[in-house]
Amino acid sequence: MDCFAALDLGTNNCRLLIATPAGRGFRIVEAFSRIVRLGEGLSHTGRLDEAAMHRAHAALQICADKVNRRKVTRIRAVATQACRQAENGAEFTAEVERRTGLKLQVITPQEEARLSVAGCVNLLDRKASAALVVDVGGGSTELSWVDLRGNSLGKEGSQTNLHRLPIRAWLSAPVGVVTLAERFPEPEVPTAEWFRAMVDHMRAEIEGFTHAEKLRPVFASGRGHLVGTSGAITSLAGMHLGLKRYDRSQVDGLWLRRADCTAAADRLMNLCPKDRAAEPCIGPDRADLVLAGAAILQAVQELWPCDRVRVADRGLREGILLSLMGGSSGQRRRRRGSSRPAPATVGSAS
């Protein structure tokens, strides 16, 4: 059976999924994830650091070996904010291709947002009227407002046309867990004032965005929900559940209340970095970043209040796989008499 691969090189992580088609979805045959911090120091220098590139090259070589060993039929390898922003981003991707044979495509924030929504589409509550998908990355945060009214995704269990997702507005804010943590170094003893400064910084990046205002009454009336996809948010979910070991089956799709998110963040604030690193759902690689992720989520919750948050241990890579496998190819031809959804209003805070 044909194997497909999706590789996502972000500001913080290098992640690979290899899968085979299965029904309307896919079956994962191999997964790989390594924190490489490619964007470390980028916010200060404007360039990718030599040590960071070395870490990324090592991880990408492992990915290339796995792809070759599995005899992958089709692969799409993408790079996001760090390579978009860095002065030497193009040099780095060219060197990656020379060393590993992997051709990294630096995708736009709009494409990143669309693929993240596509990867999370099965977690959208079709009984709701709208959803806000929040993809917290290392160097940027993508927000996508999805209109769920009028059966726009089709019936529960039916196939969704990934090329015509009802995204009404999207925003790419140039703030992620790495950039926020670098801008606000953690004090020896974390304080409420330090955390609030991170929340306010993120709020300032997104509160002037007006293109999604038509959906605000939906959220104000309690008919909308958030979907949070990022390592920071899955870590909060693991803290909430009190897991002794991270378990994707318990985290992916979990519903949290806003109070649950706040309580998990408060617990993290009361831990020193060493104790945070010892938490099984955080670990040493995320210990200094998870509070920045909690601050980003809180900023979004303050500006788009809703009580329900669905946790997604999925996103960009899954969206790439579904697109590669042509999950919507049979639906691309527009049916006679069908109406197109209203186009998305796009925007960027960068």
Side-chain angles (χ1 to χ4, degrees):
M1 182 175 287
D2 289 342
C3 276
F4 296 78
L7 191 156
D8 168 23
L9 179 65
T11 302
N12 196 41
N13 286 351
C14 175
R15 296 178 291 189
L16 171 73
L17 277 184
I18 301 176
T20 56
R24 294 189 178 97
F26 53 81
R27 182 179 68 86
I28 297 172
V29 297
E30 188 154 2
F32 171 78
S33 178
R34 176 176 290 182
I35 292 179
V36 296
R37 300 206 180 198
L38 178 61
E40 188 171 54
L42 175 61
S43 60
H44 300 309
T45 67
R47 296 180 60 83
L48 299 176
D49 177 74
E50 288 294 333
M53 289 190 288
H54 179 76
R55 292 192 296 268
H57 280 303
L60 289 166
Q61 185 60 63
I62 293 173
C63 293
D65 293 342
K66 291 180 181 294
V67 166
N68 292 332
R69 188 169 62 252
R70 291 284 183 178
K71 296 181 171 57
V72 166
T73 306
R74 291 187 65 193
I75 178 173
R76 188 179 185 194
V78 304
T80 55
Q81 181 66 11
C83 289
R84 284 196 294 260
Q85 181 182 349
E87 294 174 7
N88 56 341
E91 298 170 30
F92 169 72
T93 56
E95 182 66 10
V96 166
E97 185 174 7
R98 188 188 70 78
R99 288 193 188 189
T100 69
L102 295 170
K103 189 175 179 63
L104 285 172
Q105 177 189 8
V106 181
I107 58 174
T108 66
Q110 183 180 15
E111 175 74 351
E112 184 177 356
R114 186 189 71 79
L115 288 169
S116 294
V117 173
C120 295
V121 71
N122 290 336
L123 296 183
L124 300 176
D125 181 0
R126 299 183 191 215
K127 296 182 179 67
S129 296
L132 171 52
V133 178
V134 184
D135 181 4
V136 183
S140 66
T141 297
E142 274 61 53
L143 299 95
S144 304
W145 286 262
V146 184
D147 191 342
L148 301 175
R149 295 171 293 189
N151 197 30
S152 55
L153 287 179
K155 295 180 181 178
E156 190 75 37
S158 65
Q159 201 166 9
T160 300
N161 189 333
L162 301 181
H163 294 268
R164 293 175 59 198
L165 292 167
I167 301 172
R168 296 295 177 253
W170 68 272
L171 169 68
S172 180
V175 179
V177 293
V178 174
T179 51
L180 193 60
E182 288 182 348
R183 186 177 183 90
F184 296 92
E186 183 175 344
E188 188 171 336
V189 178
T191 64
E193 292 76 16
W194 165 75
F195 185 79
R196 186 68 233 178
M198 291 196 293
V199 174
D200 288 343
H201 181 77
M202 182 63 185
R203 280 186 59 123
E205 292 288 346
I206 62 178
E207 61 187 347
F209 184 73
T210 60
H211 295 301
E213 288 301 311
K214 288 183 179 180
L215 289 177
R216 189 169 290 282
V218 174
F219 284 85
S221 61
R223 293 178 290 130
H225 72 91
L226 297 186
V227 175
T229 169
S230 80
I233 295 174
T234 57
S235 294
L236 286 177
M239 289 284 292
H240 167 73
L241 292 172
L243 298 179
K244 300 302 181 185
R245 181 179 181 182
Y246 184 79
D247 183 351
R248 183 182 186 274
S249 66
Q250 293 191 58
V251 170
D252 185 51
L254 177 71
W255 286 102
L256 295 177
R257 298 291 180 182
R258 183 174 175 183
D260 297 329
C261 300
T262 301
D266 288 344
R267 285 181 59 196
L268 287 171
M269 282 284 290
N270 291 324
L271 296 176
C272 67
K274 182 180 178 180
D275 290 339
R276 238 178 281 147
E279 284 288 329
C281 293
I282 298 174
D285 289 330
R286 283 202 177 96
D288 60 337
L289 303 177
V290 67
L291 278 169
I296 290 171
L297 177 61
Q298 181 171 320
V300 175
Q301 289 175 313
E302 288 180 2
L303 291 172
W304 286 87
C306 59
D307 194 43
R308 298 192 305 152
V309 181
R310 197 162 202 189
V311 181
D313 188 348
R314 61 177 79 187
L316 182 61
R317 291 175 302 164
E318 288 79 2
I320 291 173
L321 282 175
L322 290 170
S323 297
L324 281 178
M325 292 175 185
S328 60
S329 59
Q331 302 177 30
R332 290 183 194 175
R333 200 171 298 163
R334 187 182 171 192
R335 293 180 181 178
R336 185 177 300 172
S338 66
S339 58
R340 290 184 180 276
T345 301
V346 299
S348 174
S350 55

